[in-house]
């Protein structure tokens, strides 16, 4: 029995599906099924029941799952210790990026890894902040950056790397710029808004609508901030932009800022607390922390 077969067994048990396990393991479905059959043939035990709802562990499978997880943990510890002995860190890092709050820091991080840690391969996944957090929680991602106004879940080790404000922006000359925003007038205009409340801009828009008791007749759903800026600058409607995008665009006369409508949003770097002793994550956190200190100075 091979380690990769045990990993397949644990993944299928966790996902309850050959299809989802194949996606997580980057294997074909026939390969995953072959791994399970090989283990069952070797052990001469049925580990799963194939049901219309998916793969369900048998009683024997449930007992062996605990041992399989312990074996994989021990195998990982051996590899980690070998990395420490060699004096370098290696492996495949799955990194998530939610939003655009620290694009520059991310670029420098990837450059540093490529230049100084060539044994570390990186896969980058973009998504909404809630998607990144869920990916880390499920083990689909090793670590990631996400935007939030709340404190991090205790299941994560996290620290702040940046923060930014949110502005309500309009095309030049479309509405009067004054200290008092005319919300009734804005309700008549198209709003360019992220389509999900799982983003900082999406949540902020919903709070504005509720606070001022408005509901724009036309909402254009856009999930990329640069596209939002282009549409606002082009006269399509009003929208919410991060300060890092809004302020330079306003300085160039591309848009007008009607007001800062949100307290600074925090950008956090996070990974699961139960993995904080893994060498790859120790290395990654130290690099991010060092770059954050440099930015602060």
């Amino acid at each position: 029995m091979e380690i990769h077969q045990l990993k397949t067994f644990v993944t299928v048990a966790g996902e309850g599906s050959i299809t989802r396990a194949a996606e997580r393991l980057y294997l074909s479905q026939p390969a995953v099924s072959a791994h399970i059959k090989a283990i069952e043939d070797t052990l001469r035990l049925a580990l799963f029941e194939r049901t219309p709802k998916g793969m369900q562990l048998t009683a024997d499978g449930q007992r062996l799952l605990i041992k399989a997880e312990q074996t994989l943990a021990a195998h990982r510890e051996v590899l980690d210790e070998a990395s420490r002995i060699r004096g370098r860190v290696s492996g495949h890092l799955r990194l998530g990026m939610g939003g655009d709050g620290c694009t520059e820091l991310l670029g420098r991080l990837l450059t540093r890894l490529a230049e100084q840690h060539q044994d570390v391969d990186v896969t980058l996944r973009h998504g909404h902040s809630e998607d990144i957090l869920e990916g880390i929680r499920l083990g689909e991602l090793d670590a990631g950056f996400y935007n939030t106004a709340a404190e991090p879940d205790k299941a994560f080790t996290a620290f702040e790397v940046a923060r930014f404000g949110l502005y309500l922006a309009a095309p030049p000359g479309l509405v009067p710029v004054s200290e008092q925003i005319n919300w009734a007038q804005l309700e008549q205009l198209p709003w360019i808004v992220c389509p999900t409340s799982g983003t900082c801009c999406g949540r902020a828009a919903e709070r504005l609508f509720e606070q001022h008791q408005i509901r724009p007749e036309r909402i254009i759903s856009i999930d990329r901030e640069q596209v939002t800026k282009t549409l606002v600058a082009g006269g399509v409607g009003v929208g919410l932009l991060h300060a890092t995008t809004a302020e330079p665009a306003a300085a160039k006369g591309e848009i007008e800022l009607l007001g800062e409508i949100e307290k600074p949003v925090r950008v956090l770097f996070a990974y699961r607390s139960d993995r904080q002793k893994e060498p790859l994550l120790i290395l990654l956190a130290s690099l991010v922390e060092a770059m954050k200190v440099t930015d602060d100075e």
Side-chain angles (χ1 to χ4, degrees), residues 26-38:
Y26 301 101
L27 295 173
S28 66
Q29 294 182 36
V32 172
S33 297
H35 288 181
I36 298 302
K37 184 177 186 305

Side-chain angles (χ1 to χ4, degrees), residues 31-102:
V32 172
S33 297
H35 288 181
I36 298 302
K37 184 177 186 305
I39 295 175
E40 291 182 327
D41 288 347
T42 300
L43 300 177
R44 290 185 292 177
L45 291 172
L47 303 179
F48 292 98
E49 292 180 1
R50 281 71 170 173
T51 73
K53 295 183 178 180
M55 302 287 284
Q56 295 184 359
L57 284 169
T58 63
D60 292 333
Q62 290 174 354
R63 291 179 60 182
L64 289 175
L65 176 63
I66 298 173
K67 295 297 183 181
E69 291 173 334
Q70 292 172 345
T71 300
L72 289 177
H75 178 257
R76 188 162 52 245
E77 289 175 2
V78 170
L79 296 179
D80 292 345
E81 184 62 23
S83 294
R84 284 190 286 268
I85 292 172
R86 292 196 308 268
R88 67 177 184 270
V89 177
S90 63
H92 182 202
L93 177 65
R94 300 162 301 169
L95 189 61
M97 181 65 174
D100 302 314
C102 60

Side-chain angles (χ1 to χ4, degrees), residues 149 164-167 200 203-205 207-208 259-265:
F164 56 87
L166 287 178
Y167 281 94
C200 58
R203 289 192 297 268
R207 283 194 291 270
L208 283 178
E260 188 172 16
I261 52 84
E262 187 79 0
K263 294 180 179 179
V265 177

Side-chain angles (χ1 to χ4, degrees), residues 46-219:
L47 303 179
F48 292 98
E49 292 180 1
R50 281 71 170 173
T51 73
K53 295 183 178 180
M55 302 287 284
Q56 295 184 359
L57 284 169
T58 63
D60 292 333
Q62 290 174 354
R63 291 179 60 182
L64 289 175
L65 176 63
I66 298 173
K67 295 297 183 181
E69 291 173 334
Q70 292 172 345
T71 300
L72 289 177
H75 178 257
R76 188 162 52 245
E77 289 175 2
V78 170
L79 296 179
D80 292 345
E81 184 62 23
S83 294
R84 284 190 286 268
I85 292 172
R86 292 196 308 268
R88 67 177 184 270
V89 177
S90 63
H92 182 202
L93 177 65
R94 300 162 301 169
L95 189 61
M97 181 65 174
D100 302 314
C102 60
T103 303
E104 183 180 347
L105 185 149
L106 175 65
R108 289 190 283 116
L109 172 64
L110 296 178
T111 299
R112 181 74 59 83
L113 285 169
E115 292 176 347
Q116 300 183 5
H117 303 280
Q118 298 179 5
D119 291 330
V120 177
D121 297 321
V122 180
T123 298
L124 182 63
R125 188 173 98 186
H126 287 272
H128 298 308
S129 291
E130 289 187 352
D131 297 332
I132 299 304
L133 270 180
E134 187 66 9
I136 297 172
R137 189 188 306 275
L138 295 176
E140 298 170 354
L141 294 171
D142 299 304
F145 300 89
Y146 70 99
N147 304 334
T148 184
E151 290 301 314
D153 191 298
K154 292 182 180 180
F156 300 102
T157 296
F159 57 85
E160 183 180 312
V161 297
R163 58 175 57 195
F164 56 87
L166 287 178
Y167 281 94
L168 179 59
L174 181 64
V175 295
V177 178
S178 63
E179 293 184 2
Q180 295 296 324
I181 297 176
N182 187 334
W183 294 102
Q185 180 185 15
L186 293 182
E187 186 179 23
Q188 306 306 312
L189 299 174
W191 280 64
I192 305 162
V193 176
C194 189
T196 173
S197 61
T199 66
C200 58
C201 290
R203 289 192 297 268
E206 287 300 323
R207 283 194 291 270
L208 283 178
F209 298 158
E210 182 178 349
Q211 178 183 353
H212 299 286
Q213 298 182 338
I214 65 172
R215 177 58 60 176
E217 294 182 4
R218 185 183 180 197
I219 296 178

Side-chain angles (χ1 to χ4, degrees), residues 16-27:
S17 164
I18 292 288
T19 301
R20 290 194 297 270
E23 292 173 352
R24 283 194 57 185
L25 294 168
Y26 301 101
L27 295 173

